[in-house]
Amino acid sequence: MTQDKPPAFDRDRLLAWMADNGVAQTTVDHPAVFRVEEGLELKAAMPGAHTKNLFLKDKKGRLWLISARQDTVIDLKRAPKVMGSDRLSFGNEGLLYETLGLTPGSVTALGLINDPDKRVTFVLDKALWDAEVVNFHPLTNTATTALERDAFRRFLALIGREPIVVDFDQLAG
C-alpha cells in the first residue's frame, strides 16, 4: 500500500467515538476472519444479521460499498441497474485503504467513518436495513460489533450517510 497517513479511525477510536455519540454497541473479539465461510461458528453464537461487504468500482471510476446479509446472493451483473451504477469490478487494496482505511478481509460499513468526502457510495441490503441487529467488523477482522437497528441508523446519520437500500433477494429472483 502506498498510503502515507493512517486512517482517521481505527478500532479503538471508532468504539470510543460510538460511545461518545450515544451509539450503543457490543463488540466481541475473535480470531481473524477473512471470508464469510470462515466465521460461521463464531457467528452462530452472536445474535443478529451477519454481513458480507463488497468494495467495488464501476467503469466510470465511482466507488461503491455493498453491505448485505452473509447469505444474500449479489448478482454483480444485475445490481448496477438498481444502484445507478455502471459495470462493477472489485476495488483494489490501495483504494480500499485510501478511502475507507481498511484492508482486505476487514471491509465493513463502519469504515464509512473514514470517508468524510463521501467518495464511496453506500448500498445496503434491505434485509440489513430491516434487521433488528446487524453485525459488522469494527475496522478490523479480529472482532465483530453488534448494533441494534436504531443504533446503526444513528451511526449512519451521524456520519451523514443515506444508504441506497436494495432488495437483493428480489433482484436475484
Side-chain angles (χ1 to χ4, degrees):
M1 287 176 280
T2 59
Q3 184 68 13
D4 295 337
K5 63 181 177 97
F9 286 86
D10 60 11
R11 172 209 161 127
D12 293 339
R13 189 148 174 247
L14 169 71
L15 296 180
W17 179 91
M18 287 179 156
D20 291 347
N21 285 282
V23 178
Q25 55 78 27
T26 303
T27 297
V28 176
D29 291 304
H30 53 69
V33 176
F34 293 92
R35 293 187 340 267
V36 168
E37 305 79 36
E38 291 178 29
L40 295 178
E41 286 179 31
L42 295 167
K43 294 171 188 173
M46 296 179 211
H50 292 274
T51 59
K52 65 178 167 189
N53 300 274
L54 306 176
F55 179 68
L56 304 163
K57 183 176 180 177
D58 70 20
K59 76 176 194 179
K60 292 182 180 172
R62 292 186 302 172
L63 303 176
W64 302 85
L65 175 66
I66 297 177
S67 293
R69 278 183 64 104
Q70 69 180 6
D71 55 355
T72 299
V73 174
I74 300 173
D75 184 335
L76 292 181
K77 291 192 185 332
R78 290 176 150 189
K81 184 176 179 185
V82 297
M83 292 167 40
S85 161
D86 212 322
R87 188 171 47 93
L88 296 164
S89 60
F90 287 93
N92 69 45
E93 185 175 341
L95 203 50
L96 173 63
Y97 190 79
E98 176 188 323
T99 56
L100 299 177
L102 302 171
T103 57
S106 297
V107 181
T108 171
L110 301 181
L112 292 167
I113 198 167
N114 281 323
D115 182 27
D117 298 331
K118 298 181 175 67
R119 290 176 60 195
V120 179
T121 301
F122 184 43
V123 178
L124 185 67
D125 182 6
K126 185 175 185 315
L128 289 184
W129 183 250
D130 294 340
E132 296 288 327
V133 175
V134 292
N135 293 280
F136 290 101
H137 289 311
L139 311 183
T140 175
N141 64 353
T142 57
T144 297
T145 296
L147 298 158
E148 291 186 1
R149 180 188 302 135
D150 290 344
F152 180 54
R153 291 181 181 185
R154 177 168 173 72
F155 169 80
L156 292 174
L158 286 167
I159 64 168
R161 292 303 186 116
E162 183 74 34
I164 297 170
V165 178
V166 174
D167 187 343
F168 285 102
D169 285 340
Q170 191 86 11
L171 192 59

